Amino acid sequence: MQPSDYDSPPGGGSLPTSPIAAPALKVQKSRHTLNDVPALYQSEVTLPYRRSHPSAASLYASTLSPPGSRSQSPIGRPASRIASGSVFGGGANNALALASSTGDSPGDPLNLILRAFVPHVAVYTSEDTDILLKEKGFSRGLWELLRPFGERVQGKVIIRDSNGSSRTYEDYSIHFVQFGEGIVHPEPPTAGLRSTQIARTNGVSEKPGEPGRGQPRQGIAIPDVEAVVDRHLKYAEESFFSLPQSPTNHGLDIDVPSPYYALYLRRLLSGLPLVPHETFAHPVACVIAISSRNQSPIETLRRLYTESHTGDKRLPNWVDPEFLRYYVLVHEEERDDITRSMSLFDQMKRNLGLHCHLLRIRGTQSVATDDDSIPLPRSEWMSASEELADIRRSDEDQEDFEDPTRYIFESDATAIRTFIREMVTQSIIPTMERHVSVWNDQVASRRRGLAGRFVGLTKKWGFGSGSRTSFVGQSSGSNYDTLGFYRHDAPEAIMRKLADYAFMLRDWKLAHSTYDLLRSDFNNDKAWRYHAAANEMAAISLLIMPQNLSAKARAETIETAFEAAFYSYITRCSAPYGALRCLSLGLELLRLRGGSSIDEAAKWGIRLLESKIIGPVGDALIKERLAVCYASKQGMGTRQWGGRRRKSALWSVLGAEAWLAQSKYIQAQRCLNEARKTYSGLPSGNGIDKFSYANAFVLGIGNSLHQNLDAGDLDDDSDTGDQSEDVDEESEALDVRGRRISTLGMPGGATGASLETAPLKAQLDRSEEEREKQDKGEAKDDFG
């Protein structure tokens, strides 16, 4: 437990030092000092939960360890790098430097955005390959083995933009997915069509209400994301006294986001569903793999291609089937003949082309005790539903649950890294660059010209001569299908894929211009989900672009795009996930712009809270981010005029209240300590002790935290004294915390009480004699 600085007597004077800055603070129980926290192996007797459940620790590793370290100097801050020289940056290279150096900060929101919207590579394997991988310890096949390595491509990746200039990236990644998984079929735009019995959206009879293979119809579920983060928070609360890194060490830092907020954003962007209105999850390539055990390899490869292109396994007709096929021969080093495999590989290249690779791996299962074994890293970009299923499985089978960490031979890891790098640099990136060039010349350029604008006007006013029957106000020349999607060969679908490819290749200018062109087309066709997604990505790509934006330009472009996207997602499409993703990413990118953009970022964050589309965990995390957002606003002069420190402290207090209502006492204490630190650093030195209601409200939160944490301590001590070494049951050490004293009953803590407005600076600059007269005889708290 952190030193309890809210426990000071009323006459204590100024604010105590922050526990992070003063680790030597003394408290009543020495075991609560952060520097004296016992190591994990020393605390097993203290926490029977960890004794009975040691294998579950790896499930929470992403939040138990601090996020990626970054420079604490102002030069290393993302906001400072963009906001230097002018309101948004002195030169055009500042944002380029920001986007190219995000690999050093894995928890940074911009880094998460760049690693989320990357090429997706499907994996489709033969039966003999699945058997080989199961013998190796991977029950889900080759996809499970390749997925962690695709999240960071080894070496430098060179990408050419639409102007022909090349850029080098060292943090490029791809996402491996199972072929045919995660399909979410579109809903018909009219209520009458929703009741149709058969919808042949992929050439196979399927009911409209039936979910796609492997994922629910609604795609990513916000409750699953909330549940995952909530379980991480609960585990941190229960393991607080035994962790080598205390969760309260993660402050509300401008540079390093909270590990729980980084996890929230990562799970929000993980497992993107295969939907028609955006093509990020559409496969850019498909790995078709057979093993060296196969008796008829060439015939098997042709069969797998046919099944994925025109057979029963084919994707819906709003997915372009002409994606790259990459053929892989998995050779088992220990049993099969390498000469035969090399001959077969040469035959594959003659019959199937040059997009082939020979992957040589060992067929036996590796264990931790092997000399050349290394742990296979757990995938950072697994979907929220997948991680939640693993956590629930660990809770249900505590005794039989095995550590999910897998081990592979180092030679296998080297071979897989080489395979992925070769596939990305020699096949995937050149193929995407070629498609972007062709689509831009043949489709987008015509649409940008005078003839293309005239066609757009005729479609808008219904003068087209198309043969499609109009319905629900659609123009007769529309390519928008009655089932709620554009076919893959429609110009609108091709241009959307062009924009997404440009975004994944980090050509922000081409991506933004194409998204902006598509917005009017989707609006004319009343394709509202397409319209919302195009507006969302148009604003995001513009915010990442290395160029300065005036306040007028932001109001005319970014604000309009976010407003249109949010309205379409919520009102027209009933898609809360899209609205949450849109505003949360917009909040972070606007904050990184610095200057007056910070106020706009906070506005969209407040809009997100008012929409009530997020759960209690997301509500508290967004309040934390609003505090960080206002704290990053730099003031001017010695008194920091124009800063937003009081607003930052206010949102820290509201964040503490939100965490306290969920019994997340560690997070609540961290927010409250940050608020006190901010109030104590105000130029006036008065904090909020001049405001009785606000002061009582904050004191009420602090008192409730103190009582609940002490109650948890007493319960921990009593359980420790009663347990024996051979007890294997889960401890209920934190049940007493549920009977905490409500802060709403404290003075000034009622629901109707509001925090008063801060006094004017002129009033704060009164003479010292007047202050002493006013303060004489009044009780002081620890906020002054």
Side-chain angles (χ1 to χ4, degrees), residues 97 121 125 154 181 215 275 354 382 422 501 536 566 574 712-713 770:
V121 179
T125 58
Q154 187 181 29
E181 293 292 324
Q215 186 150 347
V275 292
L354 297 179
M382 64 173 60
E422 179 180 324
Y501 273 34
E536 174 192 4
F566 184 77
S574 299
D713 295 340
E770 293 179 351

Side-chain angles (χ1 to χ4, degrees), residues 142 287-293 326-333 336-349 353-361 411-412 414-420 422-423:
L142 184 63
V287 172
I288 298 179
I290 61 172
S291 72
S292 53
R293 300 178 180 179
Y326 198 88
Y327 302 96
V328 176
L329 173 61
V330 182
H331 170 73
E332 185 181 357
E333 291 277 20
D336 294 332
D337 184 11
I338 184 60
T339 306
R340 178 181 177 273
S341 296
M342 292 292 294
S343 174
L344 175 59
F345 181 63
D346 292 336
Q347 186 180 359
M348 287 172 54
K349 290 191 292 185
L354 297 179
H355 298 294
C356 301
H357 188 86
L358 175 62
L359 180 61
R360 302 171 61 174
I361 61 175
S411 59
D412 294 348
T414 303
I416 294 173
R417 292 192 191 100
T418 304
F419 154 60
I420 292 177
E422 179 180 324
M423 180 178 64

Side-chain angles (χ1 to χ4, degrees), residues 483-510:
L483 295 175
F485 62 88
Y486 291 93
R487 293 181 57 88
H488 66 86
D489 53 353
E492 293 84 356
I494 294 176
M495 291 179 62
R496 173 69 206 211
K497 182 176 286 190
L498 165 64
D500 291 345
Y501 273 34
F503 192 95
M504 291 186 286
L505 294 175
R506 303 185 182 184
D507 189 351
W508 318 117
K509 184 176 181 180
L510 177 61

Side-chain angles (χ1 to χ4, degrees), residues 50 139 374 404 593 612 659 687 743:
R50 293 182 65 86
S139 58
I374 59 174
R593 280 270 168 175
K612 304 296 183 182
W659 287 124
T743 58

